[in-house]
Amino acid sequence: MRNTNVDHIWRTLGPLGKYQCKQMGSYLLSLIAWAFQGLNIVFIGHRPDFQCRPSNNDSMVNNITDIHKEYQQCMIVTYTNTSDGVFKSSSPCDNGWEYDAPVDQSFVTEWNFVCENAELGELTQVLYLVGMMIGTFIFPTLSDRFGRKPIMVMGHVTVFGVSLATAFSGNYVVFVILRFLAGFCQQGLLAGTTLSLETLPAEIRHYCEVLALLCWTSSICLMSPIAYALRNFPWKYLQITYAMCSAWSIFQWWFTDESLRWVIANGQIGRAKEIIKNACKWNGKDYTEVMEKIGWGGLLDADSKLVIMTDYNSEKEQTALGPLTADIDEHNIADNHQTALNQINSNAQAARGPLVRQNGFERSDSEPEVVDEVSQDNDLKVQKYTIFDIFRHKRILIVSMIMWYSWICDSFVYFGLYMTSSDLYGDRYLNFFLSAAVEYFSAFIEYLCLARIGRKWTAIIGHIIAAVGLAVATGLTYTAGNR
């Protein structure tokens, strides 16, 4: 039984051809919905300057009596002149509030989420993040089981529907439920991240990360001018506009293919042949020639369903990950199919050896080869992995915990910086735009670092710079406040 190197298939088709760009483009455009719904709270939940609203006869009382009222944000302070001096008292804002913006410019002003109700405004973003956290545990597992494409498309379509429905929320309860669902369903787009990574060979896989950052940054930059153009309209119009940018998701299914790596790993070789044929059309390759080069020439007319994928990684990765296998039901292989599989077996070493050495994946002779577990009866036996397998391997668990902790810290800092951008001095739309535009520089630096020093040191250096910058900014803030 032959081990299929999927990276070899992509190199044969052309590492970064039109087909790969089409596949990645489907995911990259989905990031628009991710960015818009993740950070739209900055605009639809903006809290402008406000103060207590005076009653209709307060001005008359101030003019004809010795009473003076001062309208603050959360209370009305009353000064009364008496024979014994000035008596000061306070009372709540019984008549509501006045805002330095139209009442319906954000849901905060429409529903008066200020003063003692201010926590309700922040709760909407908290529940959104909680939804993301829960979705993170569910959708990656579903994408491993049902495929990357259906989970990504389903997540995108659902986000479109939920975000559109959010604009028509009749009350706060419905609004926060829909925000929670938006965060939850949005994690289905993570399957698109996996699909994009699996569409490129290992040596250029970092392109996907850089392109994703560029698309994400462009989406955030686009949010500010859209919000500025609709600044005099109710927040619901802005929410509808953001949601409609994902309307194309209802057509996404028809121009996106399933991940070739996932299809082969699950033994769907007939489907894999169709994907390769489609990729050949897009990349201008001859289908028969490609099938011969990847060692699948015997399957051109066969209907086999029994080829399993194994990638050849570095020695450390092979030791840590072990063999990749999956359970498949018993099949009786017909003679013509067996002939095709035998041909694949005979071509395995010739196709693999030079490729492995060429791309820096040299494996020592003493290292055990990763092979498929096939019984005498040609029954393919593959082990299924779950999230719980992480806790069975000490090394993988340690690395995972470091990544989890880093993501938590990064998320708090990242979202926190954007949420406070509207509180900075100057125009809040410009501040938000500049906060997003600076990420273009980050994408350029990331591209250079990933290609030269790798992911590990790029992450370490980035976190060090961020920590120093935050410490200095915090120190300057406290110093400026004391002057």
Side-chain angles (χ1 to χ4, degrees):
M1 190 66 179
R2 144 106 202 239
N3 293 312
T4 301
N5 190 328
V6 181
D7 281 355
H8 177 44
I9 297 177
W10 289 126
R11 296 184 188 104
T12 304
L13 288 167
L16 194 59
K18 293 180 180 179
Y19 177 81
Q20 287 92 325
C21 293
K22 174 185 75 75
Q23 286 287 91
M24 287 194 299
S26 177
Y27 160 66
L28 294 176
L29 289 177
S30 301
L31 292 178
I32 298 176
W34 201 333
F36 280 8
Q37 300 309 313
L39 294 171
N40 63 350
I41 197 73
V42 175
F43 299 110
I44 68 171
H46 174 61
R47 181 180 289 113
D49 292 335
F50 62 95
Q51 66 177 24
C52 294
R53 177 184 289 116
S55 61
N56 295 330
N57 60 348
D58 276 355
S59 59
M60 181 178 62
V61 171
N62 288 338
N63 292 332
I64 64 176
T65 66
D66 293 328
I67 299 177
H68 173 71
K69 292 188 176 183
E70 182 180 301
Y71 303 97
Q72 300 181 0
Q73 287 189 336
C74 298
M75 67 177 65
I76 301 175
V77 179
T78 303
Y79 299 92
T80 305
N81 292 323
T82 65
S83 57
D84 296 328
V86 178
F87 178 74
K88 178 181 177 181
S89 63
S90 62
S91 60
C93 302
D94 295 327
N95 300 308
W97 291 265
E98 290 181 339
Y99 300 97
D100 290 344
V103 176
D104 56 359
Q105 188 182 67
S106 73
F107 68 82
V108 170
T109 56
E110 181 175 343
W111 294 326
N112 291 323
F113 289 154
V114 293
C115 297
E116 65 272 9
N117 293 324
E119 296 83 3
L120 296 177
E122 279 76 23
L123 182 62
T124 59
Q125 187 67 9
V126 172
L127 291 178
Y128 173 85
L129 296 176
V130 171
M132 289 181 60
M133 180 182 66
I134 297 175
T136 302
F137 286 99
I138 297 176
F139 285 105
T141 302
L142 293 179
S143 69
D144 286 340
R145 178 170 182 147
F146 300 105
R148 320 307 190 195
K149 174 183 173 179
I151 301 303
M152 179 185 71
V153 176
M154 181 196 69
H156 195 189
V157 172
T158 307
V159 167
F160 167 58
V162 171
S163 58
L164 188 62
T166 302
F168 300 94
S169 303
N171 54 66
Y172 175 72
V173 175
V174 174
F175 179 80
V176 294
I177 291 176
L178 291 174
R179 285 291 294 173
F180 170 83
L181 291 176
F184 174 78
C185 297
Q186 200 174 74
Q187 295 308 95
L189 297 176
L190 286 174
T193 305
T194 307
L195 188 150
S196 296
L197 290 172
E198 293 178 346
T199 305
L200 299 177
E203 62 270 14
I204 61 171
R205 204 165 286 163
H206 63 282
Y207 287 0
C208 179
E209 161 62 20
V210 177
L211 290 173
L213 180 55
L214 287 174
C215 189
W216 172 271
T217 302
S218 300
S219 300
I220 301 177
C221 288
L222 188 60
M223 291 181 65
S224 188
I226 293 176
Y228 182 80
L230 298 176
R231 66 189 182 281
N232 295 323
F233 290 85
W235 67 270
K236 296 182 179 181
Y237 286 82
L238 180 60
Q239 177 65 22
I240 292 174
T241 303
Y242 285 155
M244 291 304 297
C245 291
S246 300
W248 67 274
S249 62
I250 59 180
F251 306 105
Q252 191 174 10
W253 180 271
W254 287 277
F255 59 85
T256 305
D257 285 341
E258 182 55 86
S259 166
L260 178 62
R261 187 179 299 269
W262 183 89
V263 167
I264 296 177
N266 286 271
Q268 302 176 14
I269 299 308
R271 193 177 178 186
K273 289 163 58 180
E274 293 299 321
I275 294 175
I276 294 174
K277 184 179 295 185
N278 188 27
C280 288
K281 293 179 181 178
W282 277 84
N283 290 358
K285 300 288 184 178
D286 182 80
Y287 174 66
T288 303
E289 182 181 346
V290 169
M291 293 292 282
E292 292 290 346
K293 285 185 178 180
I294 66 176
W296 284 20
L299 292 179
L300 285 171
D301 299 319
D303 192 25
S304 173
K305 295 182 180 179
L306 288 178
V307 177
I308 191 70
M309 170 202 69
T310 299
D311 280 330
Y312 297 91
N313 301 312
S314 64
E315 180 177 352
K316 292 183 179 180
E317 290 173 335
Q318 289 283 18
T319 303
L321 297 179
L324 174 65
T325 53
D327 291 325
I328 298 181
D329 295 334
E330 297 183 357
H331 297 274
N332 294 322
I333 310 300
D335 292 339
N336 59 332
H337 294 174
Q338 186 62 51
T339 302
L341 294 176
N342 289 338
Q343 178 183 350
I344 295 176
N345 279 324
S346 64
N347 295 332
Q349 295 299 329
R352 183 189 63 192
L355 178 65
V356 173
R357 290 190 295 272
Q358 175 183 353
N359 290 282
F361 301 134
E362 185 71 34
R363 181 177 56 84
S364 63
D365 295 335
S366 60
E367 182 183 350
E369 182 180 358
V370 177
V371 296
D372 304 323
E373 301 177 9
V374 185
S375 68
Q376 297 292 335
D377 299 327
N378 290 321
D379 296 332
L380 198 61
K381 301 182 183 298
V382 196
Q383 180 180 352
K384 292 287 188 180
Y385 290 95
T386 66
I387 191 174
F388 299 104
D389 289 289
I390 295 176
F391 300 95
R392 299 191 181 103
H393 304 276
K394 182 178 179 181
R395 179 68 177 174
I396 296 178
L397 177 60
I398 292 175
V399 174
S400 298
M401 292 182 67
I402 294 174
M403 292 178 62
W404 294 339
Y405 177 77
S406 299
W407 269 110
I408 292 173
C409 294
D410 294 344
S411 297
F412 281 151
V413 173
Y414 188 83
F415 281 101
L417 289 175
Y418 274 107
M419 296 305 158
T420 57
S421 64
S422 60
D423 296 330
L424 298 176
Y425 178 79
D427 185 80
R428 61 190 181 96
Y429 300 99
L430 180 60
N431 290 338
F432 186 90
F433 177 83
L434 294 177
S435 297
V438 74
E439 294 191 37
Y440 283 116
F441 178 74
S442 301
F444 175 74
I445 296 299
E446 182 185 41
Y447 172 75
L448 297 178
C449 292
L450 287 178
R452 287 168 171 77
I453 63 177
R455 298 170 176 82
K456 175 181 176 180
W457 282 106
T458 299
I460 292 175
I461 294 174
H463 281 98
I464 291 176
I465 295 175
V468 173
L470 289 171
V472 172
T474 302
L476 292 176
T477 300
Y478 278 101
T479 302
N482 291 332
R483 290 183 177 180

